[in-house]
Structure formats: structure tokens, C-alpha cells
Amino acid sequence: MKNKYIFILSLTIVCSLLLSLASEGLRSLKEKNVEIDKKKNILNAIGLNTTSLSNSNIDKYFFDNIDTLIIDPYGKINNTLTISDLNAIENNQTGEVKYFSDDIEYLPMYKDNSKNVVVLPISGKGLWSTLFGYFAIDSNNYSTVRG
């Protein structure tokens, strides 16, 4: 009877160690996949079909054509901040996500210069949790929804 508990404890420790090592070892791949998925969603909102694009093609298109802008509360572009500098704070009641840096609210925005499209992140409350998406509008007149 005692050997059974020692076996169960040993198996639990070995499995948890293996899971921890796999999680840490694959962390960079997971972060890259999250970044690629975000870029795919932005490009889909613009109107590009990303199903046939490889990850390197998505990175290249994003680097060549998409400008990431941070807008301050007065509508001016802040060139000193990046998306990673902003803290996303979610309102659990409404699902609205606001982006802050030093207690000042900012709005991240993506602009595709080749297609004249501005993409804004949106969020709202879904059935079980918050839904996230991207809303694309025409940058010439700001009245035409592009995706």
C-alpha cells in the first residue's frame, strides 16, 4: 500500500516537472504565435486574405506597410510610446479595454499606407467573456467601414 502512494507522488512530480519545462521551453514560440495571430487579425480587417500567407510574409507585409500609432487624449500622435509600453485595463462590467501609460489614456491605432485604411482595436462583453476585434475604416474620409 505504501509503494502505491510513493509511485503516485513520484509520477505527479515527474509529470509536473516535464510540463513546467515544456511550458518554459516553448514560451518564445507561444509569444510569437500570439503576435502573428494579432497581425493576421489586423490584416483580415484591412481586407487581405491571410490564409495563403506564411508567417514570414505576414511579418514582412506588416513591417513594410503598417504604421503603429499611439494617439493621446488630445488627438496628437505620441512618438515616444509603443504598444508594449501601454497597460491594457479591462472593465469587467462592460468588457471595454482602455490603454494607459502613466495614468494617461491612449489609443493604439494601425495605419496601412498602401490601402489607406486605419484599424482600431475594439472590445466588448460577450456571453462568457470579453470579445476582442479590430475595426477598419477608410483613412480618406473616415466614414467608410473597410473591415
Side-chain angles (χ1 to χ4, degrees):
M1 183 112 162
K2 184 177 181 183
N3 290 338
K4 179 171 62 171
Y5 293 116
I6 292 174
F7 174 75
I8 291 171
L9 181 63
S10 300
L11 186 64
T12 303
I13 291 172
V14 168
C15 287
S16 62
L17 178 66
L18 290 174
L19 284 173
S20 298
L21 289 173
S23 175
E24 286 300 312
L26 298 173
R27 180 182 299 238
S28 63
L29 289 175
K30 178 188 171 223
E31 290 172 357
K32 182 65 175 172
N33 284 336
V34 168
E35 177 187 343
I36 289 293
D37 186 57
K38 180 179 176 181
K39 289 178 180 179
K40 276 184 181 180
N41 288 328
I42 291 169
L43 295 180
N44 282 333
I46 290 170
L48 290 175
N49 184 5
T50 59
T51 56
S52 62
L53 295 176
S54 68
N55 290 350
S56 60
N57 288 343
I58 290 171
D59 275 338
K60 182 174 176 13
Y61 185 90
F62 208 86
F63 181 76
D64 292 342
N65 298 309
I66 307 290
D67 291 333
T68 303
L69 306 171
I70 307 296
I71 308 298
D72 70 8
Y74 306 105
K76 295 183 181 164
I77 297 173
N78 185 323
N79 293 322
T80 61
L81 292 175
T82 63
I83 294 282
S84 58
D85 295 334
L86 299 178
N87 297 323
I89 298 175
E90 179 184 345
N91 182 335
N92 291 331
Q93 296 286 327
T94 63
E96 179 183 17
V97 176
K98 294 184 177 184
Y99 301 89
F100 290 93
S101 177
D102 297 328
D103 295 331
I104 300 172
E105 184 179 356
Y106 290 96
L107 176 66
M109 183 170 99
Y110 305 93
K111 184 174 182 185
D112 186 340
N113 296 319
S114 65
K115 296 190 177 285
N116 294 324
V117 176
V118 173
V119 180
L120 302 169
I122 58 172
S123 62
K125 203 64 169 167
L127 183 59
W128 288 291
S129 66
T130 302
L131 300 174
F132 300 95
Y134 294 96
F135 188 73
I137 57 176
D138 193 300
S139 65
N140 292 330
N141 58 15
Y142 298 108
S143 65
T144 303
V145 175
R146 298 284 296 269

